[in-house]
Amino acid sequence: MSQFTPTERTQIKRLPKRGNYDRETVYSILDTAFVCHVGFSVDGQPFVIPTNYGRSGDTLYLHGSAASRMLKTLSGGVPVCVTVTHVDGLVLARSAFHHSVNYRSVVILGKAQPVEDLAEKMEALRIFTEHVMKGRWNDVRIPTEQELKATIVLSLPLEEVSAKVRTGGPIDDEADYALPVWAGVLPLETVAKTPLPDAQRKDDPPIPEYLKQFKVKS
């Protein structure tokens, strides 16, 4: 199927025109971001934790230390909400009320499961590494057995998913178009700068070609 099926929990109700359930759109938003926010509750106390992630097909992977409260809690099957957001521009209207932001976001609801199979766990760690820097996995030392034991990997199925996107300029009240106020969009983007070598060693190999050519995807 090319689209996720909206559920009562993922159906966009506020500004439904911005809602999107297309897999290609959802994948694009997830694959071009680096950080997600993971929301869950422990004994009635909500937490929202920023972390890295990786995607393979309709599975989102989370990982971290085996001592992580978040990962140990999610391993128990508690409901989780994962969000990813890109901010693409500041929308400046003629009235304060109609100021906005151009954005692309994804919300995922569900329950995560621990990845116990060692081959899948190693593959998930490869996906994390390649998500951050494509081509990096082939250069680095892969995790040892002890490092695998010290790491929790969770899989979250992409089942209840929705995207929401705003593009375009400000939408003012008709009367406000006569106001002598500048209005429009200030585009924003993340830009990769010159790599900084590790100061601990002076004889590292040259900067890899994939790093020289790296550009932040939008």
Side-chain angles (χ1 to χ4, degrees), residues 36-40 47-51 62 70 74 80-83:
C36 68
H37 286 80
V38 181
F40 60 99
F47 294 90
V48 178
I49 306 296
T51 188
L62 305 172
M70 178 186 79
L74 296 183
V80 62
C81 175
V82 176
T83 63

Side-chain angles (χ1 to χ4, degrees), residues 191-210:
V191 178
K193 303 180 76 172
T194 303
L196 302 175
D198 183 1
Q200 296 299 315
R201 267 183 35 174
K202 305 300 183 183
D203 57 347
D204 271 349
I207 296 173
E209 197 62 32
Y210 57 75

Side-chain angles (χ1 to χ4, degrees), residues 42-143:
V42 179
D43 297 327
Q45 171 62 55
F47 294 90
V48 178
I49 306 296
T51 188
N52 298 118
Y53 64 93
R55 180 191 70 85
S56 176
D58 277 347
T59 299
L60 193 82
Y61 288 107
L62 305 172
H63 81 301
S65 168
S68 164
R69 175 174 61 180
M70 178 186 79
L71 296 177
K72 289 192 291 186
T73 299
L74 296 183
S75 295
V78 303
V80 62
C81 175
V82 176
T83 63
V84 171
T85 305
H86 297 265
V87 178
D88 297 319
L90 307 180
V91 182
L92 309 177
R94 292 164 182 83
S95 67
F97 182 79
H98 286 299
H99 276 60
S100 189
V101 170
N102 282 341
Y103 63 89
R104 291 163 288 144
S105 65
V106 165
V107 174
I108 306 165
L109 303 176
K111 294 182 179 179
Q113 296 292 327
V115 174
E116 305 292 356
D117 180 78
L118 291 182
E120 183 183 359
K121 196 172 185 180
M122 185 69 81
E123 173 61 10
L125 295 175
R126 185 193 71 81
I127 290 168
F128 293 133
T129 305
E130 290 290 291
H131 181 75
V132 173
M133 179 60 63
K134 188 171 180 61
R136 190 65 177 167
W137 184 257
N138 290 333
D139 278 0
V140 299
R141 175 181 64 77
I142 65 173

Side-chain angles (χ1 to χ4, degrees), residues 64 66 121 125 141-152:
K121 196 172 185 180
L125 295 175
R141 175 181 64 77
I142 65 173
T144 65
E145 182 179 349
Q146 187 61 36
E147 289 170 337
L148 285 175
K149 290 179 180 179
T151 304
I152 292 178

